[in-house]
Amino acid sequence: MTASDFPVVDGAPVNPDAAPLRLRVAHVAQANTVWADGDGDLWPAAWADDDGLYTAAGDGTGFARHGWHDILVGRVDGMPQTGLCGVPLAAGDEVAPTWDAPRFNRKPTGMVAVDGDGDGRDELYLAVQDLRCGDEPGIFDEAPIATVVRSADYGRTWAWPTDPMFTDHVFTTVMFLDLGRSNDGSPWVYAYGIDGNWRTSFTRIVPDPTALFFARVPAASVQDRSTWEFFTGRDGDGMARWTRDIGDRSPVLVDERVMYPEPAPYGGRSGFTAIAQGGVVWNPGLGRYLYSSWSEYTHEFFEAPAPWGPWHHLLSADYGHFPWQGPRSPLASHGGYAPTMPSKFVSTDGRDLWLQSNWFFGAASRGGRAYTFGLRRVRFDPGTDAVAPDADGNLALSPDTWPLASRVADGQTSVLNDGRRDLAEDSSRGPGTGDDVWGYQWPAPRRFDRVVYMPGPQDSMGGWFAAGPRVEVRVDGEWRAVEASVAPPYRNDFTALEEDEYVFDFAEVCADGVRLIGEAGGPLRYTSIAELEVWLVRGRA
């Protein structure tokens, strides 16, 4: 599908199908694989009419080798498939003011390219917040002020209002909706906002963000705060209602989940909310708006048929506790913050995307840093109802098989179906709560009746299932348990790792996913795996 296949309401395409998006394959790579050499974080971006992808960074040198600034603007050319190149444009006081220095510094949160003045050339608008910094408690835990700066010459010079546009911690993390190149010509600019802070506030100076708010402003008056309108809810037809009074606004999305509620056995932070600075992009191939967010150790994805919702949680990608491995490591595995999915890199059918995320922590020279504009592959595939032909061999080795795991310590999901039993993975950097999962997903259903599980090597600290594991299959988008026999019987203690394999047999099913799921065991509460095979054994003519 393309953008022209959908009705346009107030300058934004809307999918009349409000049912939650169902994906047969939802896969996010374990680490960045493409990057533009640079230094900095956050990197909100906008695709302009001149085909440039303009972006802004915080805390670095940007695409220059020298000259640190708290805010920088640059341009990225190229495509992930062929390589990216970043060029510096402006930095520091050239870009935006600091309203409350030195207690706060500048951080970019959103960018949009739109021809609001009708001169045939896009202007760039960049949302910038004051974020707490310095040596006092609460560094990076409070964002009380934000405004929008403007460039009429593709990022080289900038101008701003005489006063902040948003104050008192209200709507101070501003993320502009990415409708596509040049804002897809919309007469409106849409923006999402978060109160208080750009992510979980570790010192709780302000409440952790759990609500995402929504606003619009005419493209001709983005810097005129009096022309902004805020979402107050949906009417009986599912369309948005608006108000000029920011105090009367309502959230478009509320998510009160808490990820990693308890510290890891070896320490570290805990208790993170899922609403944070990221980005929202219109994906015409899927006919959905996608919001990419994050917690400290996960990426969180949401989808909606209209920019005002209804929003549904789509996927969590879990990278586990630190330490992580940098993108150049042979065992690359890391999450990252402020994730966005630039519309310039979305495939025509919408199924292949590239997630930008960045990671501040240092890494060994072998692993490299992810503190730059970096991308990883995302596959969101609704697939097909047509049943795949029966296979003679291990279905896990099919080229359209996508591994499914709750998390992997070394980032190597390929271990599940690499055909080798001498390489293992485990979930040892998990939250210590909830079930562990090892399995597969396919873009089309297929028939099978056997799963063979090979655990990892012996380990007294964990690696086995304390309860289960049970076999579940996905049919019509729902996971359901199957009655299975297992040989040899699975012992829910450390001796379970002494067996070479466990064979689970069950009545033939036709499904597009299969998984082993159960409670992790051991003092560190994790499970391990060397291989997972899927077979169709019975029922052949």
Side-chain angles (χ1 to χ4, degrees):
M1 293 182 287
T2 65
S4 62
D5 295 324
F6 300 96
V8 175
V9 178
D10 289 339
V14 174
N15 189 337
D17 180 10
L21 176 64
R22 195 179 109 195
L23 297 174
R24 285 189 164 89
V25 174
H27 179 83
V28 182
Q30 286 288 314
N32 293 350
T33 57
V34 177
W35 45 85
D37 286 333
D39 177 63
D41 62 359
L42 302 177
W43 304 101
W47 185 15
D49 61 329
D50 65 351
D51 202 38
L53 186 74
Y54 293 88
T55 185
D59 288 348
T61 62
F63 296 124
R65 285 186 56 84
H66 307 287
W68 183 96
H69 293 278
D70 60 350
I71 191 166
L72 311 103
V73 175
R75 171 178 166 143
V76 175
D77 289 297
M79 294 293 288
Q81 298 86 345
T82 56
L84 304 175
C85 177
V87 178
L89 296 174
D93 293 339
E94 299 171 337
V95 177
T98 305
W99 300 106
D100 191 8
R103 296 177 59 242
F104 294 82
N105 68 358
R106 297 162 289 205
K107 287 287 190 177
T109 61
M111 184 180 280
V112 65
V114 61
D115 182 13
D117 59 13
D119 67 351
R121 290 164 49 90
D122 278 354
E123 306 89 60
L124 301 179
Y125 292 96
L126 173 64
V128 182
Q129 69 181 192
D130 271 21
L131 185 65
R132 182 182 284 269
C133 65
D135 297 328
E136 61 185 280
I139 182 173
F140 304 145
D141 279 0
E142 177 191 14
I145 295 172
T147 197
V148 177
V149 299
R150 178 183 185 270
S151 174
D153 57 4
Y154 297 102
R156 290 163 180 82
T157 62
W158 295 84
W160 47 86
T162 56
D163 297 302
M165 292 176 61
F166 299 99
T167 60
D168 300 323
H169 303 88
V170 177
F171 211 80
T172 52
T173 298
V174 181
M175 301 167 286
F176 290 113
L177 170 60
D178 184 353
L179 285 173
R181 185 174 180 175
S182 194
N183 199 40
D184 199 32
S186 175
W188 292 93
V189 167
Y190 289 98
Y192 297 85
I194 298 170
D195 291 353
N197 199 38
W198 65 299
R199 50 108 166 114
T200 297
S201 292
F202 300 136
T203 55
R204 306 305 189 262
I205 291 176
V206 295
D208 292 339
T210 58
L212 184 70
F213 297 95
F214 186 50
R216 69 179 184 180
V217 61
S221 60
V222 176
Q223 289 182 303
D224 183 350
R225 173 65 180 78
S226 68
T227 65
W228 283 63
E229 298 178 342
F230 300 89
F231 174 84
T232 63
R234 292 185 296 274
D235 63 21
D237 295 323
M239 297 296 103
R241 299 193 305 263
W242 304 97
T243 179
R244 293 281 177 93
D245 187 346
I246 195 170
D248 290 338
R249 71 210 165 104
S250 298
V252 291
L253 171 64
V254 175
D255 190 329
E256 296 180 341
R257 291 176 300 146
V258 176
M259 267 64 70
Y260 285 74
E262 302 294 334
Y266 36 85
R269 291 181 173 136
S270 61
F272 315 106
T273 54
I275 302 297
Q277 179 180 335
V280 181
V281 62
W282 164 241
N283 184 323
L286 298 181
R288 290 297 190 278
Y289 291 86
L290 302 175
Y291 168 40
S292 49
S293 183
W294 62 289
S295 70
E296 186 77 354
Y297 303 128
T298 71
H299 284 143
E300 303 293 326
F301 298 87
F302 303 83
E303 59 85 16
W308 45 82
W311 286 91
H312 305 280
H313 186 250
L314 184 65
L315 175 70
S316 292
D318 191 338
Y319 307 98
H321 282 287
F322 306 135
W324 289 341
Q325 294 291 324
R328 292 177 174 86
S329 168
L331 300 177
S333 177
H334 63 86
Y337 49 87
T340 59
M341 293 186 287
S343 58
K344 185 176 181 179
F345 304 144
V346 178
S347 65
T348 302
D349 65 5
R351 302 184 184 198
D352 287 299
L353 307 93
W354 292 86
L355 180 77
Q356 181 283 133
S357 66
N358 39 89
W359 165 34
F360 175 76
F361 296 94
S365 57
R366 186 181 187 191
R369 292 198 309 158
Y371 199 58
T372 186
F373 185 92
L375 303 173
R376 70 187 69 198
R377 187 185 179 195
V378 174
R379 178 73 175 180
F380 286 160
D381 190 354
T384 175
D385 291 331
V387 178
D390 291 345
D392 293 329
N394 175 14
L395 274 65
L397 301 182
S398 169
D400 64 347
T401 299
W402 294 81
L404 188 67
S406 45
R407 74 203 56 81
V408 284
D410 289 328
Q412 306 304 299
T413 56
S414 60
V415 166
L416 275 69
N417 61 339
D418 61 2
R420 299 176 57 175
R421 299 191 177 194
D422 59 333
L423 295 178
E425 257 293 1
D426 64 59
S427 62
S428 59
R429 295 195 184 125
T433 59
D435 288 334
D436 268 14
V437 169
W438 303 107
Y440 301 113
Q441 50 190 334
W442 295 283
R446 56 212 62 205
R447 285 180 274 267
F448 52 92
D449 55 19
R450 173 175 288 179
V451 169
V452 183
Y453 165 51
M454 284 130 268
Q458 185 75 25
D459 190 332
S460 61
M461 299 303 291
W464 63 89
F465 287 93
R470 60 189 183 274
V471 178
E472 293 185 349
V473 298
R474 189 176 62 194
V475 179
D476 294 330
E478 299 291 335
W479 288 99
R480 58 188 67 171
V482 297
E483 293 291 334
S485 63
V486 55
Y490 190 90
R491 301 180 296 276
N492 295 115
D493 58 32
F494 71 93
T495 63
L497 300 178
E498 296 178 357
E499 300 291 346
D500 291 332
E501 67 177 31
Y502 292 92
V503 179
F504 293 81
D505 284 314
F506 43 90
E508 182 180 307
V509 297
C510 184
D512 59 19
V514 62
R515 65 186 185 184
L516 286 183
I517 182 171
E519 179 185 344
L524 295 185
R525 292 183 53 82
Y526 66 90
T527 59
S528 65
I529 189 168
E531 199 77 5
L532 188 69
E533 299 175 350
V534 184
W535 299 83
L536 176 62
V537 179
R538 297 187 298 271
R540 293 179 180 274

